[in-house]
Amino acid sequence: MTPPHEEEAGGAFTPPAAHEPAEAGEYEPAAPVARPTKRERWRAWRGRRPFWGGLLVTLGGGEILLTEKAALPVILHIGMQGLAGYLIPLMLVIVGLLTLFNPAQRLFYAIVGVLLTLGTWITSNLGGFFIGLLLGIIGSCITFGWVPDQEPRRRVLRKSKSHEEQPVSAES
């Protein structure tokens, strides 16, 4: 089957005129769409996951790891109790990163994060002198409370303010 513009010209190819409207069912190219900037892509990626919760859990685990004073050979010589001071914060960092890169399992990671953070109270200098402990618990709570596909709060507040500021027309 030959296209209609070829049949009219006796089989010779003639492109359709640019000013002719497209017929129903024909493809009409859309206007070029602007690519999102790096900042827009970053904000979109960050908005699809419990970013702040995962970041705080990761920072809490890192802070607890950094507060460990003993060298690794000394810890290995002490035994399992000394090794737990390094393993639990390392697992906390891993849980924080998994929260960022696999948000579908956020509830499980939040619960494991709280349990690991509370475990550092005993094994790692009172949870990294309370700083890492607080970061881990707050980050896990934020992760647990995060809801996917929720409209950002700033936009909700802007919409509600715009509805309040509209003048009410007086009907007589």
Side-chain angles (χ1 to χ4, degrees):
M1 181 172 183
T2 58
H5 54 78
E6 285 184 12
E7 290 175 358
E8 294 171 0
F13 177 73
T14 55
H19 64 286
E20 292 180 32
E23 295 178 14
E26 282 190 29
Y27 173 76
E28 191 171 310
V33 178
R35 288 184 51 164
T37 63
K38 286 184 181 182
R39 180 181 170 129
E40 290 171 344
R41 287 184 299 192
W42 166 251
R43 292 184 76 185
W45 182 84
R46 198 179 67 194
R48 291 188 306 265
R49 60 199 71 246
F51 178 76
W52 293 110
L55 182 67
L56 288 176
V57 170
T58 304
L59 289 175
E63 195 274 336
I64 294 168
L65 262 174
L66 291 176
T67 60
E68 294 292 322
K69 288 277 191 186
L72 191 58
V74 174
I75 296 299
L76 292 176
H77 181 69
I78 293 173
M80 263 325 262
Q81 184 65 24
L83 191 59
Y86 280 104
L87 287 180
I88 292 178
L90 184 64
M91 289 172 48
L92 198 58
V93 169
I94 291 170
V95 164
L97 292 174
L98 285 172
T99 300
L100 290 173
F101 295 109
N102 187 14
Q105 303 298 323
R106 69 189 181 283
L107 297 176
F108 174 73
Y109 296 143
I111 293 169
V112 170
V114 165
L115 294 175
L116 287 172
T117 302
L118 292 174
T120 63
W121 176 269
I122 298 169
T123 61
S124 303
N125 298 329
L126 298 175
F129 304 114
F130 298 111
I131 297 170
L133 181 82
L134 289 174
L135 287 173
I137 288 178
I138 292 170
S140 294
C141 290
I142 290 173
T143 299
F144 192 83
W146 182 79
V147 179
D149 301 329
Q150 183 179 15
E151 193 171 334
R153 291 284 187 205
R154 290 182 183 162
R155 292 184 186 159
V156 171
L157 291 175
R158 286 183 192 154
K159 286 180 183 176
S160 64
K161 286 181 184 177
S162 65
H163 291 299
E164 292 173 3
E165 292 174 2
Q166 292 177 352
V168 178
S169 61
E171 297 178 352
S172 358

